[in-house]
Amino acid sequence: MKLRLGMIGGGHGSFIGAVHRMAASLDGLYELVAGAFSSNPDTSRATGQHLGLAPDRVYASYQELVEREAQRPANERVQVISIVTPNHLHFAPAKLALEHGFAVVLDKPITFSLAEAQELAAVLKASGQKLCLTHTYTGYPMLKEARHLLATGALGRVRKVYVEYPQGWLSTPEESGENKQAAWRTDPARSGIAGAMGDIGTHAFNLLEYVSGLRVTELCADINTVVPNRRLDDDGAVLLKLSDEASGVLVATQVAAGEENNLRLRIYGEKGGLDWQQADANTLLVKWLDRPTEVRRTGASYLSATALHNSRIPPGHPEGYLEAFANLYRNFALTLLAEQGGSPAPPEAQDYPGIEEGLRGMAFIETVIASGQSEKKWTKFTL
């Protein structure tokens, strides 16, 4: 059985829209049947035609999509709506979709502001629906293995966490040309109060909390805008105080010339440490205090049940970004389908980011920018 999927955003020229469609299609659990792919009706229509959708299921606005799909018979209307728009267009369509009885997949960060995220949380609770937030990197099998090792106490109490996300694509003023991705990400009216910290810093923050199981309690941020005349931050470093007396460092920059997307996470406990980076995503290094380093690999039989559930092909074959993204869509679909069948999904399938991660991500953005503007050393992280 396939879930009927609708999409808001993701028209011609959208990088992330195509990624969402590939991820949703990978396991055969969704069928894209409707969309409002652009605020430009002609672009939306052309995208729908390119994707082979029925003309009457391609809409000129997200309002039209939600309202007209809700009027269709229950066995025809979309069941899940994926929202892949810029940040300022997350809240309104997500709210409308939930209020009309649709489950929602939402690109991160969840909304434009923490206030919007809190309102959306209330709407979600009242609707009785489910929401998946696409923090992609939590879908990697070896990060799930890392989380399992820490949760089971294999490395003892966590003491130190380092997470870094270096990119170089905004080392020059790309937004001044024809680069649509750069234009909206550096525009406060569309991106929000943060640039690099909102775009990739939230991924680093989410990964740190997801894998370690700890929560940020205070932070001290150095926020920079390196490229002249840019309106939002493109670089930053954050000292972190974490629960259980741990501490950490988070670095997010989009002006590290020559870097691509080598997200890296290192976590050190009393007995040893973990080291993972996206450039070699199939490998998790487990570094012991009193014995040689272990090399754990995706798909190996010795991995935890959750890591194996999120591994797709035999050991030795590379799995990457699209598969990690697809794991979120698959787990969300398995949860929804199990619910429709009257039974809960297994724990491995319920492992996807949702409203709590969205709220904490928005709180991180607002706290880190406030800290960067403050002369105080430490700023409380409250939610």
Side-chain angles (χ1 to χ4, degrees), residues 187-351:
D187 178 4
R190 290 180 285 175
S191 183
I193 63 173
M197 280 297 165
D199 191 21
I200 59 175
T202 48
H203 274 312
F205 165 79
N206 171 259
L207 199 61
L208 179 153
E209 291 203 332
Y210 173 77
V211 176
S212 73
L214 303 177
R215 293 292 179 264
V216 173
T217 59
E218 294 182 75
L219 56 79
C220 174
D222 176 36
I223 304 299
N224 306 302
T225 303
V226 175
V227 173
N229 301 317
R230 182 163 284 160
R231 292 181 289 171
L232 291 173
D233 60 283
D234 50 22
D235 171 76
V238 191
L239 298 176
L240 304 166
K241 289 186 179 181
L242 307 170
S243 56
D244 204 20
E245 299 182 343
S247 63
V249 180
L250 182 155
V251 176
T253 182
Q254 293 175 313
V255 294
E259 289 288 352
E260 294 176 340
N261 281 279
N262 194 21
L263 174 63
R264 186 181 184 186
L265 177 69
R266 290 171 289 164
I267 301 179
Y268 299 97
E270 297 167 310
K271 303 175 184 179
L274 301 169
D275 190 348
W276 177 91
Q277 53 187 318
Q278 188 174 219
D280 186 14
N282 278 26
T283 299
L284 175 68
L285 299 180
V286 185
K287 302 177 178 182
W288 298 105
L289 180 66
D290 56 358
R291 58 186 187 271
T293 294
E294 293 178 11
V295 180
R296 300 197 180 196
R297 296 281 290 166
T298 297
S301 60
Y302 51 72
L303 299 180
S304 64
T306 303
L308 288 172
H309 170 77
N310 289 279
S311 300
R312 296 171 169 276
I313 48 182
H317 299 284
E319 297 187 37
Y321 179 79
L322 288 176
E323 290 87 348
F325 214 117
N327 284 338
L328 304 187
Y329 266 95
R330 181 181 63 174
N331 288 345
F332 192 52
L334 292 175
T335 299
L336 294 175
L337 291 168
E339 187 177 75
Q340 289 179 16
S343 59
E348 294 84 0
Q350 296 183 48
D351 180 18

